Amino acid sequence: MFSRIARPALSLSRSFSTSAQKDAKVAVLGASGGIGQPLSLLLKNSPLVSQLSLYDIAHTPGVAADLSHIETRAHVTGYIGPEQLGDALKGCEVVVIPAGVPRKPGMTRDDLFNTNATIVANLSDACARHCPEAMICIISNPVNSTIPITSEIFKKHGVYNPNRIFGVTTLDIVRANTFVADLKGLDPARVNVPVVGGHAGKTIIPLISQCTPKVEFPQDALEALTNRIQEAGTEVVKAKAGAGSATLSMAYAGARFAFSLLDAMNGKEGVVECSFVRSEETESPYFSTPLLLGKNGIEKNLGLGKLSPFEEKLVGEAMSELKGSIKKGEEFAKKMN
């Protein structure tokens, strides 16, 4: 299940030629931020994108003007402020949302909740009104809560389709692949570690037993590796010493997920990515597992596969925190007017 087919974008440049070229309008909401700018650059560089719609509350015209000088086919338009949000979203097939505040040292993803929950709820409301059929890809943290928020907002508008709302957890996979490759002396582009669960701390569960190629670690090394993958975001926050969180690696991961989605929408078969979505695979109502993507979003949830006893224990330990974060998001959305 988790062969190289699960890595449709072994490198971003290689992914550009995987599908017949079609016109796709992609929006980035939060395009002027630390993730939004490099993400927009990667999207502008892809022939899978014909129109790139950039939105933020400040500086977007400048970012759009800058990107528009790049010699690729995507036509770039910048929109600024809530009054232009509807125009930014009209006709979009994929919307990527990195908007929100970044983590600072000492903060958890959950500490971002109050600010980012409101931002995501407002942007989701606009998506439900102006592009209800689009694929919605949420990067804004805490993803374990912002995906339930987005789902509840779409339900309020009567346009909810669980196969089209994705929590982007791709950075966890990217990190797991990199760390395993470093430890084993492998080419990271040829390593694939499924990462399931959620997108915060102990809810991030790398399935090292399902890695391709097969790798093995002593238990103490396995525990240390798992902990590093779970806390890799904090590693970056500390290293940046107050200057932000993971922006460049997150932009790469967000672009990888968007390209996989566009490939699948264009008819490419066998495209698999992990994502935090509405799920019946566990007792948690939302859960990240490998997904077979298709023209209409999720074609099939591939589930957890065979877990090692250690991984089964990690899944069990994650449930309480995961369900609490989901409930917090749902309750927030239900209170919004």
Side-chain angles (χ1 to χ4, degrees), residues 13-291:
S13 60
R14 225 175 297 173
S15 75
F16 293 161
S17 60
T18 54
S19 305
Q21 194 165 287
K22 293 185 180 179
D23 291 338
K25 184 174 182 181
V26 179
V28 179
L29 309 185
S32 300
I35 297 169
Q37 290 199 45
L39 173 61
S40 299
L41 173 62
L42 291 168
L43 292 169
K44 172 70 170 104
N45 201 39
S46 170
L48 295 172
V49 180
S50 61
Q51 295 182 70
L52 186 56
S53 180
L54 307 182
Y55 171 82
D56 214 320
I57 57 170
H59 311 305
T60 341
V63 174
D66 195 359
L67 288 177
S68 71
H69 294 178
I70 294 172
E71 54 180 355
T72 56
R73 74 187 289 249
H75 178 74
V76 185
T77 314
Y79 300 87
I80 189 167
E83 64 284 349
Q84 294 184 14
L85 179 53
D87 290 334
L89 291 169
K90 280 175 188 166
C92 286
E93 293 156 90
V94 175
V95 180
V96 189
I97 305 182
V101 296
R103 277 203 294 160
K104 293 183 172 60
M107 292 176 72
T108 66
R109 288 179 179 86
D110 209 46
D111 291 332
L112 306 175
F113 181 85
N114 288 332
T115 300
N116 287 0
T118 302
I119 292 169
V120 170
N122 289 333
L123 294 176
S124 297
D125 183 80
C127 291
R129 293 175 189 273
H130 299 287
C131 56
E133 296 293 312
M135 306 292 178
I136 309 298
C137 308
I138 306 289
I139 292 172
S140 310
N141 276 315
V143 166
N144 294 356
S145 297
T146 54
I147 286 298
I149 288 170
T150 301
S151 298
E152 293 303 316
I153 297 293
F154 270 66
K155 286 177 189 176
K156 283 185 179 182
H157 287 277
V159 293
Y160 178 55
N161 183 342
N163 294 329
R164 291 173 177 262
I165 295 175
F166 301 91
V168 179
T169 62
T170 315
L171 183 51
D172 299 325
I173 293 91
V174 167
R175 286 167 166 160
N177 295 341
T178 301
F179 299 165
V180 167
D182 285 349
L183 289 170
K184 292 296 184 181
L186 300 168
D187 176 357
R190 302 196 174 278
V191 175
N192 182 48
V193 180
V195 182
V196 302
H199 186 57
K202 69 180 182 182
T203 71
I204 299 169
I205 304 163
L207 303 184
I208 307 296
S209 72
Q210 295 180 21
C211 176
T212 51
K214 186 168 179 59
V215 295
E216 291 185 355
F217 295 94
Q219 187 62 28
D220 59 342
L222 179 62
E223 290 176 9
L225 172 60
T226 298
N227 184 69
R228 188 183 177 202
I229 293 165
Q230 291 175 333
E231 297 300 325
T234 302
E235 186 178 308
V236 176
V237 169
K238 286 180 178 176
K240 288 193 174 182
S245 57
T247 52
L248 301 174
S249 54
M250 185 62 249
Y252 169 89
R256 171 180 148 169
F257 186 81
F259 296 149
S260 292
L261 203 47
L262 288 165
D263 270 343
M265 291 164 69
N266 284 347
K268 181 177 170 64
E269 296 183 353
V271 179
V272 176
E273 289 282 2
C274 296
S275 180
F276 187 68
V277 298
R278 184 76 192 182
S279 173
E280 296 179 357
E281 297 300 316
T282 69
E283 64 188 76
S284 173
Y286 294 84
F287 203 83
S288 180
T289 45
L291 308 169

